[in-house]
Amino acid sequence: MAEVLIVDSQDEAGAIVAREIADLLKDKPDAVLGVATGSTPLAVYRALEQLIKDEGIDVSQVRAFALDEYVEIDPNHPESYRSVIHREVTERLGLNPEYVLVPGQNATSLATAGQEYDAAIEAAGGVDVQILGIGRTGHIGFNEPGSSLASGTRIKTLAAATRRDNARFFDSEDEVPIHCITQGIGTILKARHLFLLAFGESKADALAASIEGPVTASCTGSAIQLHPRATVIADEAAAAKFDNAEYYRFAAANKPDWQGL
Ligand code: PGA
């Protein structure tokens, strides 16, 4: 069972995750972060940027791996995930660009890119903290319905609903790429600590299905139930469809002091 925290704002969620990551970086300066794009993780990156500055945290050895990337896009396009991660993570946090990798980057071919990416994550020692958002299709990464729960990084076709949601970053929906390369569910589950964040009512159905519904490839967010250390942080709107919200609040309010996230 994942731990579920219901918070008042995205900033509150961002502060919780940033604190956890900052403490990790102090203990382990060469920690490996799993980073996500989209609107959801921005509050984490902003809060972490501040902690790094305020507490003088050395990030020169930190490594980061992105969750996913579009296929049919120029890597220099401002909305490629390589560009987004560079802006929002590498530059904002002051990471060494050579230590930040996006799926498909430096790959010898598209056919082998997924395996190469998973091998690079393993060679770095595995992901310590993985930040996840969730799509309306229930996807984590770009693992659309029907993705194997044992999948590694590979090429996937985006769902129509995902392309519609991401059209806001492009001039039109037609410009949203059709294919992506995404960490698989098996890849994500290897990370040592998962943080799944969800904000807004458009995420409520997918979040409730993921946390309280059956574990199923039809809603890949449900794979989080298989992970021994997963922290779910939702605002009130995203938490609105939970059956067990009262219990989550009670458990959070009565958590033993010595128990971390
Ligand atoms: P969002 O996307 O953070 O922009 O809402 C999340 C996702 O599609 O996984």
Side-chain angles (χ1 to χ4, degrees):
M1 178 62 202
E3 176 170 22
V4 181
L5 303 176
I6 300 171
V7 296
D8 290 330
S9 67
Q10 299 194 24
D11 284 345
E12 188 181 344
I16 292 168
V17 182
R19 182 72 264 161
E20 189 77 11
I21 295 175
D23 289 345
L24 169 72
L25 300 185
K26 287 179 180 175
D27 280 356
K28 187 178 178 187
D30 59 349
V32 179
L33 304 181
V35 291
T37 50
S39 309
T40 304
L42 297 177
V44 175
Y45 304 144
R46 281 195 297 266
L48 185 56
E49 175 186 20
Q50 198 60 45
L51 288 178
I52 289 169
K53 277 198 192 117
D54 291 351
E55 300 178 11
I57 299 169
D58 175 15
V59 295
S60 61
Q61 301 303 312
V62 174
R63 289 169 187 272
F65 289 90
L67 266 182
D68 43 23
E69 172 62 296
Y70 296 117
V71 170
E72 300 93 352
I73 197 165
D74 179 337
N76 297 314
H77 187 291
E79 294 304 332
S80 76
Y81 286 176
R82 196 184 304 189
S83 299
V84 173
I85 291 290
H86 189 75
R87 267 195 317 271
E88 299 295 345
V89 177
T90 313
E91 290 199 321
R92 188 182 280 281
L93 304 183
L95 305 189
N96 180 345
E98 289 182 12
Y99 288 171
V100 180
L101 205 62
V102 170
Q105 189 178 347
N106 305 337
T108 37
S109 75
L110 215 45
T112 56
Q115 280 172 314
E116 289 172 20
Y117 196 68
D118 286 342
I121 293 174
E122 292 227 341
V127 170
D128 289 298
V129 171
Q130 176 66 56
I131 300 166
L132 300 166
I134 187 164
R136 280 192 300 149
T137 61
H139 71 206
I140 51 175
F142 272 143
N143 293 283
E144 301 291 22
S147 296
S148 161
L149 299 183
S151 47
T153 302
R154 76 258 183 257
I155 309 292
K156 287 293 289 181
T157 304
L158 292 171
T162 301
R163 294 185 66 230
R164 262 198 308 280
D165 282 347
N166 288 8
R168 70 188 194 278
F169 297 115
F170 295 86
D171 290 336
S172 74
E173 197 179 313
D174 290 344
E175 274 187 37
V176 183
I178 290 174
H179 296 101
C180 62
I181 174 164
T182 180
Q183 285 193 29
I185 296 297
T187 317
I188 292 169
L189 290 178
K190 283 185 189 155
R192 289 184 269 279
H193 189 176
L194 305 181
F195 279 98
L196 174 64
L197 308 181
F199 307 122
E201 65 179 336
S202 68
K203 303 296 176 70
D205 285 319
L207 187 66
S210 295
I211 304 309
E212 298 180 341
V215 174
T216 168
S218 298
C219 175
T220 60
S222 65
I224 197 153
Q225 296 177 43
L226 299 171
H227 196 282
R229 193 176 178 207
T231 307
V232 177
I233 311 183
D235 65 4
E236 296 283 349
K241 298 281 174 72
F242 282 141
D243 285 334
N244 302 320
E246 201 178 324
Y247 169 70
Y248 305 144
R249 289 182 213 278
F250 183 76
N254 290 285
K255 192 165 163 158
D257 288 341
W258 48 265
Q259 203 174 54
L261 288 174

